[in-house]
Amino acid sequence: MRSKSWDEFAQPGSPQMDFIVTVCDKAAGELCPLWPGQPVTAHWGFPDPALEGSDEVKRAAFTSTLRQIRNRVQLFLSLPLERLDRLAIEKKVRAIGHEAL
């Protein structure tokens, strides 16, 4: 597992995805590529925990970020996708990124 550039997934022959969620704070201001298949996209920005202070502070920041990502993924998994149209799904997935967790 590693952080990946979206360029890896925008190339011809890349796997088609149904959902794309970016988490890097810097990604919010960047122009996303055109994804094959037009997946639902959302941005759930988090500050980079590696940029925090001491190792102890970084560890706490990583733990907090992991907890928040886990909570947002749980919210995503609880969506009744089979009962929502594409626009409703996109709206709900994007709203999850604004949840205070």
Side-chain angles (χ1 to χ4, degrees), residues 12-25:
S14 296
Q16 186 171 332
M17 294 179 266
D18 297 316
F19 299 93
I20 307 260
V21 177
T22 56
V23 296
C24 176
D25 261 356

Side-chain angles (χ1 to χ4, degrees), residues 3 22-28 43-53 57-69 72 97 99 101:
S3 178
T22 56
V23 296
C24 176
D25 261 356
K26 290 193 272 184
H43 180 70
W44 300 348
F46 296 96
D48 186 346
L51 299 178
E52 301 298 325
V57 171
K58 285 179 187 172
R59 202 170 359 271
F62 272 101
T63 299
S64 175
T65 301
L66 175 61
R67 178 185 49 76
Q68 292 176 70
I69 291 172
R72 288 182 180 175
E99 294 282 333
L101 304 171

Side-chain angles (χ1 to χ4, degrees), residues 3 7 13 26-27 30 39 42 46 48 56 61 63-64 76 83 86 94:
S3 178
D7 293 334
K26 290 193 272 184
E30 295 181 20
F46 296 96
D48 186 346
E56 185 176 325
T63 299
S64 175
F76 171 72
R83 295 194 320 252
R86 186 187 191 291
R94 289 180 176 181

Side-chain angles (χ1 to χ4, degrees), residues 6-12 14 33-36:
W6 53 38
D7 293 334
E8 289 185 45
F9 301 102
Q11 303 299 318
S14 296
L34 295 176
W35 299 102

Side-chain angles (χ1 to χ4, degrees), residues 61-87:
F62 272 101
T63 299
S64 175
T65 301
L66 175 61
R67 178 185 49 76
Q68 292 176 70
I69 291 172
R70 183 181 299 126
N71 290 344
R72 288 182 180 175
V73 167
Q74 289 299 322
L75 289 171
F76 171 72
L77 293 174
S78 71
L79 292 175
L81 299 178
E82 67 284 347
R83 295 194 320 252
L84 299 171
D85 65 32
R86 186 187 191 291
L87 290 176

